[in-house]
Amino acid sequence: MGYQFPCIALPEPIPQSSMVDWASKNLNMHTQGIFRRRISISNMLSWSGDSIKKPMLITSNRTIKKEACEMFKLVQIYMGDRQTHMDHNHVALVTITKCWSIQGLRDELYIQLIRQTTDNTCYQSLARGWELMAISLAFFSPSPKFQSYLEGYIYCHLDSDQYIVQRIKKLLDLKNKKNSKSRKKRKQNTNDEGLPISTYARYCYRKLQKVAVTGGKKGLQKPTIEEIAHARNTIVTPSLFGSSLEEIMLLQKEIYPGNKLPWIQTQLSQQVLALGGEQTEGIFRVPGDIDEVNALKLQVDQWSIPSNCSDPSIPASLLKLWYRELEEPLIPQRFYEECIGSYENPDAAVTVVQFLPDLNKFVLYYLIHFLQIFAQPYNVGKTKMDVNNLAMVMAPNCLRCQSDDPRVIFENTRPEAACGGEALAGHSGLLPHSAGALYMHCL
């Protein structure tokens, strides 16, 4: 069994009628036979052991038309529906790299995976299709116009295990009646050869929510085999990035049972200081090289801090990313309005902090003590990052505006930074003496 993701409140998917309407407008309808009869939408979106002669989605791009057909073969190979001598990791790498490099192929891959995981009578093939979808979501998001369709498909599989087993059995019974004397039979089973499909679906659903915001893998370096393997592993073992604080503490319980704070928070903070970050101009404002940040992220997610890093901006950028990608913001969403509403009232701000969950409170205390090192006058002279500058770049990682309205986001920027500035300025009462002791204990 894989990691059991906690129950989360999920928005309603788009109606089934809307999904059919979307498909009718965007599918590149295929034909078959000598009379070139059009294939129905339901058949277009059902598993096939044959290759395709044109893309699933309508496109006029010649490169995508060619690559889409080759990619469908790769999907079949990964799922075990087409024979090859290629290693599965290599197949995944080639597929992911194609879509990461050619943005127009991304929706095509997701619709191909939807097709190959619909009415698939081989459980192992089905599980591999969902696995490839999960890996893909670690690298790139679907387009905005396709996201709701993919979201609706995944949503329908969140609690689908019993239905899938019954559906496979029904399809096999029908096939056996029609084709009882077939000379060549596809390997068929209803056994659980892999994780439950609901486990993949819940992972994909959460990952889709995040990648739609973050945009997936950035940088110039193409995906690597190591990143593919890591993306697959996080289906079973959650990443330190994008999880909740409670999940992270649970993950580290066996390795660091005595830690009161997230290992990743304290280790990256110490790394920034060890590399002289408090004397580095533009620290936390000037981003580190994105490819080096990605490489460090991969190692940190395996509980390792490399010793060959020399630029403090690398761990500083990754630390900001960790705060920013927390599933629930460090200052939970239910406190957001109260927090920005009290930015001109220090006493009210203290009250908000005191009502935070204990874990969030101690993580926030550690962050504030850590940033106060950089706010010291003798360091500001070097970094050019005073209290206001530090608050401006760090506050959005701890407070998360839920509005999509650019005007609201812009108007809230000043109150968010003011809240952070008040904390860094060391307003009396905001940080108890125990918080300082906790920080020193973690150094």
Side-chain angles (χ1 to χ4, degrees):
M1 293 291 289
Y3 176 81
Q4 295 299 303
F5 290 102
C7 293
I8 52 176
L10 301 175
E12 284 295 316
I14 62 174
Q16 188 70 26
S17 58
S18 297
M19 293 176 68
V20 172
D21 182 60
W22 187 96
S24 66
K25 293 177 180 177
N26 292 276
L27 284 183
N28 189 16
M29 301 309 295
H30 292 194
T31 58
Q32 64 180 2
I34 59 174
F35 296 108
R36 315 302 295 168
R37 292 177 179 172
R38 292 184 68 178
I39 300 176
S40 67
I41 291 178
S42 60
N43 285 339
M44 275 278 294
L45 292 175
S46 295
W47 180 90
S48 174
D50 299 325
S51 57
I52 59 174
K53 297 180 180 179
K54 57 182 179 180
M56 293 281 294
L57 296 176
I58 297 172
T59 180
S60 58
N61 187 300
R62 290 185 178 181
T63 299
I64 294 176
K65 286 182 178 181
K66 178 184 177 182
E67 293 290 349
C69 299
E70 293 302 314
M71 187 170 67
F72 190 74
K73 294 177 183 177
L74 291 172
V75 169
Q76 291 177 315
I77 290 172
Y78 189 86
M79 294 175 66
D81 299 325
R82 181 182 286 266
Q83 297 300 313
T84 184
H85 297 295
M86 295 172 68
D87 174 72
H88 267 139
N89 278 336
H90 181 66
V91 175
L93 179 63
V94 174
T95 306
I96 297 299
T97 302
K98 280 178 181 288
C99 296
W100 185 79
S101 304
I102 306 173
Q103 188 171 352
L105 278 174
R106 297 173 187 178
D107 288 352
E108 178 69 24
L109 174 62
Y110 287 125
I111 197 69
Q112 289 182 8
L113 288 170
I114 287 175
R115 176 178 188 170
Q116 295 303 94
T117 54
T118 299
D119 289 346
N120 188 331
T121 57
C122 176
Y123 196 93
Q124 186 178 53
S125 168
L126 179 64
R128 285 181 177 174
W130 276 96
E131 181 179 84
L132 185 55
M133 185 185 296
I135 293 171
S136 301
L137 286 169
F139 292 90
F140 46 80
S141 64
S143 68
K145 76 171 186 177
F146 185 66
Q147 182 186 338
S148 58
Y149 185 92
L150 180 60
E151 185 177 10
Y153 179 77
I154 295 171
Y155 189 100
C156 292
H157 291 78
L158 294 179
D159 297 296
S160 61
D161 296 322
Q162 186 176 357
Y163 169 79
I164 286 173
V165 172
Q166 293 173 348
R167 179 67 176 169
I168 290 176
K169 186 176 184 303
K170 181 179 179 181
L171 289 170
L172 288 176
D173 288 343
L174 290 172
K175 185 177 292 186
N176 289 336
K177 287 180 181 178
K178 291 180 178 179
N179 206 15
S180 59
K181 296 182 180 181
S182 175
R183 288 176 296 175
K184 183 178 179 181
K185 291 186 177 181
R186 181 181 177 227
K187 181 184 176 183
Q188 300 163 344
N189 63 77
T190 56
N191 297 325
D192 292 351
E193 295 186 14
L195 301 174
I197 299 305
S198 62
T199 298
Y200 291 112
R202 287 191 171 274
Y203 174 86
C204 287
Y205 197 91
R206 295 178 70 184
K207 199 68 180 176
L208 178 59
Q209 309 305 309
K210 294 180 178 65
V211 76
V213 176
T214 64
K217 175 182 167 66
K218 298 179 177 65
L220 299 176
Q221 184 177 341
K222 293 181 179 181
T224 64
I225 284 287
E226 291 76 18
E227 288 176 323
I228 295 291
H230 179 258
R232 181 186 294 109
N233 291 339
T234 57
I235 300 170
V236 180
T237 305
S239 170
L240 293 174
F241 296 85
S243 297
S244 67
L245 287 174
E246 291 75 17
E247 284 180 286
I248 293 169
M249 295 304 291
L250 189 62
L251 284 172
Q252 71 180 38
K253 190 173 182 180
E254 291 186 10
I255 309 174
Y256 302 103
N259 283 25
K260 303 296 184 184
L261 290 168
W263 170 87
I264 184 173
Q265 179 194 27
T266 59
Q267 290 298 308
L268 287 176
S269 299
Q270 292 172 34
Q271 183 82 340
V272 174
L273 295 175
L275 296 175
E278 77 279 15
Q279 291 282 298
T280 301
E281 184 174 343
I283 193 69
F284 296 116
R285 178 178 57 79
V286 178
D289 179 83
I290 187 64
D291 290 322
E292 290 189 45
V293 173
N294 287 338
L296 179 59
K297 179 181 180 181
L298 193 64
Q299 291 181 281
V300 169
D301 224 355
Q302 299 174 44
W303 307 93
S304 174
I305 299 291
S307 57
N308 59 349
C309 184
S310 58
D311 181 2
S313 295
I314 304 301
S317 294
L318 190 58
L319 183 61
K320 284 175 60 181
L321 180 69
W322 178 75
Y323 285 115
R324 184 166 65 253
E325 289 193 350
L326 283 173
E327 183 170 69
E328 174 80 0
L330 184 52
I331 298 178
Q333 200 57 45
R334 62 185 181 276
F335 294 97
Y336 181 82
E337 292 298 333
E338 188 177 356
C339 193
I340 64 170
S342 61
Y343 77 96
E344 292 180 328
N345 186 341
D347 293 327
V350 171
T351 302
V352 173
V353 172
Q354 289 174 344
F355 280 101
L356 293 178
D358 287 344
L359 180 55
N360 296 62
K361 196 184 304 180
F362 283 121
V363 170
L364 180 61
Y365 289 162
Y366 185 93
L367 171 62
I368 292 173
H369 270 291
F370 171 68
L371 292 177
Q372 283 178 338
I373 295 174
F374 299 85
Q376 296 301 316
Y378 51 84
N379 286 328
V380 172
K382 289 281 189 179
T383 65
K384 313 299 184 198
M385 295 293 291
D386 60 15
V387 167
N388 293 327
N389 289 336
L390 287 168
M392 184 64 70
V393 298
M394 294 302 293
N397 301 304
C398 304
L399 286 160
R400 198 174 299 163
C401 180
Q402 292 293 94
S403 175
D404 293 327
D405 186 341
R407 182 180 56 83
V408 174
I409 296 172
F410 178 76
E411 288 177 353
N412 287 2
T413 300
R414 181 168 172 264
E416 288 176 359
C419 289
E422 187 66 39
L424 293 178
H427 174 70
S428 61
L430 184 58
L431 299 175
H433 293 299
S434 59
L438 178 66
Y439 177 80
M440 295 305 296
H441 174 72
C442 293
L443 290 177

